Amino acid sequence: MRFALRTWCVAIVVVGSGAAKPAFAALPETGCPGSWVGSGDATFYDAFHQANACALPLLPDQYVVAVADLAFDGSAVCGRCLRITGPLGSIVARITDYCVGPGCRDLDLSPNAFAAIGDPIAGIIPVDWESVSCDVAGPLAFYFDPGSNDFYAKIQVRNHSYGVAAMALAELGQPFVALDRSSDNAFEFFPVGGAIADPLSLRVTDLHGAIVESSDIPFTPGSSVDGAAQFPFCPEPASALGLLAAAATLRALTALRNRRGK
């Protein structure tokens, strides 16, 4: 197995509405902080009839993938998207679980994802993968676990275009406090000196270092609440698209000059 995961911090704060769907879904994170590429073997498992380690809701036709326990890193990779290429093509799958045991390889795909890029009869196929932006619409969402109460909050970030690195919480009029991440892909808050003061402000940092702050979030156990915005696209891929556009313009000008010279 060969894989590389690179991390460093770049602070980009986003505050405001993010209702539009990302313009470049499944854009490679190549050159971005936290990008992940690798190669190895893939298997498949019954992803839709058991609870997943990331505690994320699944759609019946969704492509999902479990990663090796070491790469799972205590739920740090939950919700990230990978473009996975096998013998028959490529798909984009969201990380929702981890794989353990003697039969575990590098990636363990949902049956539909495996069948799209390889022959299920083979059981094991060689694959390459790279991290990409997830195809989501609208802003980040915050799901408050039903077990939350006046003296304990367990909050999961959902509908995120990039992997979530950290969360901080501020009660009304109070400074932000960094939250600990649970092994099942949530962040936990224990108020000091009393009950949780509603509403809340939440600050979420993605794996690229971009920050989204959302205020006036009602504390509603068992429910999901929209945040203020979605993570911005990593600057490096955006710059690369700009270079491609510039190259296309240059080619058009060159072609025009050549035509005039004839």
Side-chain angles (χ1 to χ4, degrees):
M1 177 183 70
R2 303 183 305 279
F3 65 85
L5 181 62
R6 300 183 291 275
T7 59
W8 60 91
C9 183
V10 178
I12 303 172
V13 180
V14 178
V15 180
S17 176
K21 188 173 183 177
F24 305 107
L27 188 70
E29 295 180 321
T30 304
C32 300
S35 63
W36 185 19
V37 297
S39 61
D41 294 327
T43 51
F44 63 95
Y45 75 112
D46 189 359
F48 302 108
H49 293 89
Q50 60 188 57
N52 62 80
C54 294
L56 290 171
L58 305 183
L59 298 174
D61 58 349
Q62 184 178 0
Y63 290 154
V64 298
V65 57
V67 300
D69 187 24
L70 182 62
F72 189 73
D73 192 21
S75 84
V77 298
C78 280
R80 296 191 73 175
C81 288
L82 301 178
R83 177 179 285 110
I84 305 165
T85 302
L88 301 182
S90 299
I91 52 96
V92 173
R94 187 181 286 271
I95 299 173
T96 59
D97 218 328
Y98 68 90
C99 177
V100 294
C104 182
R105 301 300 176 107
D106 304 299
L107 300 180
D108 207 10
L109 303 173
S110 55
N112 58 341
F114 189 98
I117 62 172
D119 184 357
I121 295 177
I124 302 173
I125 56 173
V127 292
D128 298 306
W129 66 86
E130 63 175 338
S131 55
V132 297
S133 58
C134 296
D135 185 5
V136 297
L140 302 176
F142 302 107
Y143 176 71
F144 292 89
D145 187 272
S148 301
N149 55 61
D150 288 345
F151 301 95
Y152 168 69
K154 187 175 183 179
I155 311 166
Q156 182 182 76
V157 184
R158 294 182 175 178
N159 199 53
H160 46 92
S161 57
Y162 290 119
V164 175
M167 178 188 283
L169 180 150
E171 298 178 272
L172 187 63
Q174 299 299 311
F176 278 97
V177 176
L179 305 185
D180 291 329
R181 187 168 198 151
S182 65
S183 61
D184 59 349
N185 186 37
F187 293 87
E188 298 177 300
F189 174 63
F190 298 88
V192 177
I196 295 174
D198 191 24
L200 306 173
S201 291
L202 299 173
R203 176 186 292 165
V204 186
T205 306
D206 73 7
L207 290 173
H208 303 154
I211 298 170
V212 172
E213 292 184 4
S214 303
S215 58
D216 296 324
I217 300 297
F219 179 50
T220 53
S223 298
S224 180
V225 180
D226 283 346
Q230 183 58 249
F231 290 131
F233 284 99
C234 179
E236 286 80 2
S239 298
L241 289 175
L243 290 174
L244 289 174
T249 301
L250 180 60
R251 287 194 300 270
L253 290 173
T254 301
L256 178 61
R257 184 172 60 250
N258 291 338
R259 285 197 300 271
R260 286 176 175 175
K262 290 181 180 180

